[in-house]
Amino acid sequence: MMCETRHPETPTSARRKFLQGSGALAATVAGLTSGISAPAFAVQPLKPHNVITPDDAIARLQEGNARYVAGLMQRHDFASEREPLNGGQNPYAALLGCADSRVAPEYAFDSVRGDLFTARVAGNIASDEATGSLEYAVGVLKVPLILVLGHDKCGAVEAALSAHTKGTKYPGSIQTLVRKIESSVRKIDINAPDRLDAAVAQNVRDNVNALRTASAILRDAETKGTLKIIGGVYRLGNGKVDLIA
């Protein structure tokens, strides 16, 4: 449909149409399953073990990360998963992560394909596009958990620190990205012993709040108790993910 549009749309109108479309799709899914009892529906997803509560999803992420840190990851049969996943998906968690190549969520949480619905952008920013992707994960795929995952030594956050303290300017759209992170940098103690680490954590907290503020879909799911939105920081040195308030 977007390819057939004759006139350019503003970001706001495009986002509104996406939300309307995702709402219609969610309504269709709800209509198809409304006549099926809860016990019967529980065995219908392609991965029944992924139909869990928000707290169980957090525990599974932590258990997977503990295996990864210890170097005791499970053996995964990727070949046997291809055919089932060809029919759809029902991940147990969604992530808003940084695009940094050193952070690989599926490895970090010892997960396989179809388990994690991941949106990645430098600085793990809750952009309109990332937020819309997570709304789809929650509204249509019924994901019970969103983790905003930052990491230490983040180049995007470091660039925002430099922009804030030194007035550094960056080319192209990098400046736009840095400007969005700068608001988090302004909240930290610039004289903190490790101001980059403090800025990374603050950026995670701010993007957790941004998801709630910008999205009625996510906020309503949290209010109903079917979703939790949390934050975490991945440590490059040992692979551990520290959850933060």
Side-chain angles (χ1 to χ4, degrees):
M1 291 175 63
M2 292 178 68
C3 293
E4 296 174 358
T5 302
R6 296 183 179 179
H7 302 288
E9 296 180 311
T10 63
T12 301
S13 64
R15 178 170 167 74
R16 187 180 300 113
K17 286 190 175 182
F18 173 83
L19 294 180
Q20 290 171 345
S22 106
L25 182 53
T28 300
V29 173
L32 291 173
T33 59
S34 61
I36 305 176
S37 65
F41 177 67
V43 300
Q44 297 304 311
L46 294 163
K47 288 193 168 188
H49 58 281
N50 281 357
V51 182
I52 55 179
T53 66
D55 287 337
D56 287 340
I58 294 172
R60 186 180 293 183
L61 285 179
Q62 291 178 308
E63 290 164 3
N65 182 240
R67 292 193 301 272
Y68 172 71
V69 171
L72 300 173
M73 298 170 72
Q74 296 175 338
R75 179 181 176 83
H76 300 297
D77 183 0
F78 295 106
S80 66
E81 293 177 341
R82 292 193 185 106
E83 186 173 350
L85 289 175
N86 191 42
Q89 60 174 321
N90 66 300
Y92 76 86
L95 274 76
L96 172 56
C98 182
D100 195 297
S101 64
R102 298 169 293 178
V103 184
E106 284 77 14
Y107 287 154
F109 298 106
D110 194 17
S111 296
V112 293
R113 291 170 303 172
D115 282 351
L116 303 179
F117 186 97
T118 306
R120 300 181 68 175
V121 60
N124 40 275
I125 297 170
S127 64
D128 283 352
E129 294 80 5
T131 302
S133 297
L134 296 173
E135 287 172 334
Y136 175 82
V138 172
V140 178
L141 302 180
K142 306 304 178 186
V143 168
L145 177 71
I146 293 175
L147 169 64
V148 177
L149 184 63
H151 66 93
D152 56 7
K153 300 180 175 63
C154 180
V157 177
E158 189 171 20
L161 266 171
S162 183
H164 179 59
T165 59
K166 303 176 183 178
T168 308
K169 301 292 183 181
Y170 300 93
S173 296
I174 298 175
Q175 183 68 22
T176 302
L177 185 148
V178 165
R179 194 176 298 120
K180 291 182 178 180
I181 302 174
E182 245 188 300
S183 60
S184 296
V185 171
R186 294 191 193 98
K187 297 178 182 178
I188 68 165
D189 180 359
I190 209 66
N191 297 312
D194 191 339
R195 61 186 184 184
L196 176 56
D197 199 55
V200 165
Q202 186 62 52
N203 184 52
V204 168
R205 294 189 191 97
D206 286 347
N207 281 287
V208 167
N209 290 330
L211 289 176
R212 294 189 179 113
T213 302
S215 173
I217 293 174
L218 304 185
R219 190 168 56 252
D220 290 350
E222 266 206 308
T223 300
K224 293 175 182 175
T226 59
L227 172 72
K228 281 191 175 182
I229 306 175
I230 63 173
V233 176
Y234 177 91
R235 304 298 174 184
L236 293 171
N238 58 18
K240 188 175 187 300
V241 173
D242 295 322
L243 299 184
I244 60 176

